[in-house]
């Protein structure tokens, strides 16, 4: 009986905490005009994107995040179909978790993607996401 009561309190604790403390986990992806893909600081091919995104999400604490936000920063000269394929790969990475995608089209100059600061430089631009 003591085990059931402890389990009940533990379950109620988890339910109470997950309802209030969870937030969105943001994943940033950059794609340049040459279709080079950067998942956070890591340069990947389209074939590697699914598994690397899964690995990134699976490393996160279970009770901290209840949804994903994908931020895709793409060169404005890319075809929309390529951006859609990229988004599809990201969404496949974690089925069942609520997610949202923000897409931004950029004309980038003097952005050094070998540096981990590319995300800070893009975020400093205060961009508006494009509507689907």
């Amino acid at each position: 009986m003591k085990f059931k009561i402890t389990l009940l309190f533990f379950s109620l604790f988890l339910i109470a905490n997950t309802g209030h403390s969870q937030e969105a986990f943001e994943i940033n992806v950059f794609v340049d005009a040459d279709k080079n893909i950067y998942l956070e600081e890591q340069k990947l091919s389209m074939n590697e994107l699914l598994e690397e995104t899964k690995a990134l999400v699976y490393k996160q604490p279970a009770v901290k995040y209840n949804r994903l936000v994908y931020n895709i920063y793409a060169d404005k000269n890319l075809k929309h179909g390529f951006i859609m394929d990229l988004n599809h790969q990201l969404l496949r990475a974690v089925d069942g978790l609520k997610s949202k995608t923000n897409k931004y089209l950029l004309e980038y100059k003097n952005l050094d993607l070998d540096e981990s600061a590319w995300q800070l430089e893009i975020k400093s631009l205060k961009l508006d996401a494009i509507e689907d």
Side-chain angles (χ1 to χ4, degrees):
M1 183 67 166
K2 185 177 181 181
F3 175 75
K4 288 182 182 179
I5 292 172
T6 305
L7 184 60
L8 175 65
F9 283 121
F10 180 73
S11 299
L12 291 174
F13 173 77
L14 280 179
I15 290 168
N17 279 338
T18 57
H20 298 291
S21 65
Q22 290 184 336
E23 55 193 63
F25 177 57
E26 290 194 29
I27 296 177
N28 298 301
V29 180
F30 179 82
V31 187
D32 66 16
D34 297 324
K35 298 182 180 179
N36 293 310
I37 301 168
Y38 295 83
L39 176 67
E40 299 296 332
E41 294 89 23
Q42 186 177 7
K43 185 176 179 182
L44 305 169
S45 69
M46 183 71 87
N47 295 335
E48 298 169 310
L49 187 61
L50 178 67
E51 291 304 317
E52 292 299 324
T53 303
K54 277 184 185 180
L56 183 63
V57 173
Y58 287 6
K59 291 178 190 175
Q60 304 311 310
V63 296
K64 186 170 183 180
Y65 303 110
N66 66 346
R67 59 190 172 96
L68 287 171
V69 175
Y70 295 110
N71 295 312
I72 300 175
Y73 303 96
D75 186 89
K76 72 176 189 172
N77 296 314
L78 289 172
K79 301 287 183 199
H80 191 245
F82 183 80
I83 298 169
M84 288 174 39
D85 290 345
L86 181 83
N87 187 40
H88 180 69
Q89 287 291 82
L90 292 170
L91 293 174
R92 285 183 48 214
V94 185
D95 283 334
L97 190 59
K98 191 173 12 174
S99 63
K100 175 186 176 190
T101 302
N102 296 319
K103 299 174 195 165
Y104 305 91
L105 298 180
L106 305 174
E107 182 175 358
Y108 71 96
K109 295 177 183 157
N110 301 323
L111 184 61
D112 186 3
L113 294 178
D114 293 331
E115 300 288 327
S116 62
W118 73 264
Q119 295 173 51
L120 297 174
E121 188 169 336
I122 286 177
K123 287 192 183 261
S124 72
L125 298 175
K126 298 185 187 327
L127 303 168
D128 292 324
I130 60 171
E131 297 294 323
D132 282 335

